[in-house]
Amino acid sequence: MTVQGGHLKGLKFLVTSRPDPALAKLCNSFPPDSVCFLQDVSQEQADRDIMTYLHDALSKLHKDLELEELGRKANGLFIYASTAVRYISLGTTLGEQHELMRQLLDPPEIMISSEFSDMPKALAPVDALYHQILSGAFDVPNNLIPARLKILHNILCAEERISTSVAAGLCNTIHVEDMEERADDLIKKLHAVLYIKEDRVFWYHASFPDFIFAQGESSKICLKHLNNASSFTMDMSCDAASHHALLAHSCLDIMQRELHFNICNLPSSFLEDSQVPNLQTCIKENISGVLQYACQHWAQHIRKASPKEHNNILNKVEKFIESHVLFWIEAMNLLQLSQQCHIMLQQVAECITKARQL
């Protein structure tokens, strides 16, 4: 009412989005001067805006001539500039920031070596930047890379934004605390593309998960063996359907392992939840974050898994239904999600029925 009454003259709302068809159709109903399409912004204007941003965000380097080179490398893409800024800002001194900027401008020879015939010879600027960031984050002994990659894929495939502890728990290993430390370290090293807010991991831009989910040569990065000078390629990509199947297995294993009768040790089944003192504290203490995630999303992961994986999941689903489904319903009720149980079971039943027909 304040806006409609004209009491805040000059107030403007800026809404940005990818060109989703429904939103694009809606924008067509607005006056032409109220909509700005990114593709209509001139290259010169985009370059000027990016240089203004770089000079402000990297104030230590504002006199560095190579900052202009970084601006040219961005080629009008703000996502490149903003990701580069977060990467360079790892350096706390002028010298460190200059060195990190040089790494982006002159990637190590390993990144472009012709000995890797299966590597793409030319990458889009943002892809090349992601290569550089991932190469640094996965600069660990070879045998430690798969676990870190699984943690990253867990975060990107999760049905909701999750904490590092949940991402680690979904790896379904007995060494949970160790895996949590690896997850925390990975997020720190990927701070240019991922960030934590309210204990959950988010990504700055959708182009990063797009890069990871892309099935192709561009997702292969070059890494060095730590014990010698040789190098190797590692595919960072994630096959979403296969990983959803992996997460479905993990969720079922976690529920099978952790769910049990009267999981919160409530004093009486005759009391309404609202009558139980400190119930939320009790839930937090007895239903772990990863178990809460598994209870809420196991069915969705089965739905999103490739159909050929459904038969492999069938035995675990049958075992779960026979022995733990009532414990699951109890937990869902405590989480105030019992209304979803029927829908989830129906969805899983449809998947299993189709799998049996294959």
Side-chain angles (χ1 to χ4, degrees), residues 140-333:
V140 295
N142 298 15
N143 60 315
L144 301 183
I145 291 176
R148 287 183 173 234
L149 195 56
K150 187 175 183 180
I151 290 169
L152 177 60
H153 291 173
N154 285 350
I155 290 170
L156 298 181
C157 280
E159 287 299 296
E160 62 179 69
R161 301 288 65 80
I162 58 177
S163 65
T164 52
S165 62
V166 171
L170 288 171
C171 290
N172 202 20
T173 174
I174 59 174
H175 307 293
V176 178
E177 290 186 4
D178 174 72
M179 201 62 70
E180 285 184 20
E181 291 180 7
R182 298 191 202 191
D184 289 334
D185 183 64
L186 179 64
I187 301 306
K188 288 177 183 176
K189 291 183 176 180
L190 288 174
H191 92 288
V193 290
L194 301 176
Y195 68 97
I196 294 178
K197 181 180 179 182
E198 298 177 351
D199 199 37
R200 295 171 185 260
V201 182
F202 293 80
W203 41 90
Y204 287 102
H205 196 270
S207 62
F208 181 65
D210 286 349
F211 171 81
I212 296 296
F213 288 127
Q215 300 292 303
E217 297 298 318
S218 64
S219 59
K220 293 181 180 178
I221 68 171
C222 294
L223 296 171
K224 287 185 178 180
H225 290 286
L226 295 186
N227 56 346
N228 56 56
S230 63
S231 305
F232 64 99
T233 62
M234 173 63 67
D235 189 355
M236 294 283 110
S237 70
C238 175
D239 182 333
S242 295
H243 202 76
H244 278 296
L246 190 66
L247 288 172
H249 281 286
S250 293
C251 288
L252 289 165
D253 288 341
I254 291 165
M255 291 191 295
Q256 196 76 24
R257 187 169 59 243
E258 297 188 23
L259 286 175
H260 58 83
F261 175 70
N262 194 15
I263 192 168
C264 285
N265 299 312
L266 301 183
S268 171
S269 59
F270 294 102
L271 293 176
E272 297 282 343
D273 287 351
S274 59
Q275 297 175 308
V276 179
N278 303 315
L279 179 60
Q280 292 307 312
T281 300
C282 188
I283 291 172
K284 189 174 182 180
E285 291 176 351
N286 291 280
I287 306 180
S288 65
V290 70
L291 178 57
Q292 290 189 33
Y293 179 91
C295 287
Q296 293 179 58
H297 300 298
W298 65 278
Q300 274 295 88
H301 287 305
I302 291 177
R303 285 187 67 203
K304 292 186 176 181
S306 58
K308 65 181 181 181
E309 297 285 352
H310 289 159
N311 275 323
N312 297 329
I313 301 172
L314 177 59
N315 288 338
K316 283 187 179 179
V317 172
E318 290 178 340
K319 184 179 179 181
F320 170 74
I321 296 297
E322 289 173 3
S323 62
H324 281 65
V325 70
L326 292 180
F327 304 152
W328 168 66
I329 292 173
E330 177 193 357
M332 290 288 281
N333 181 66

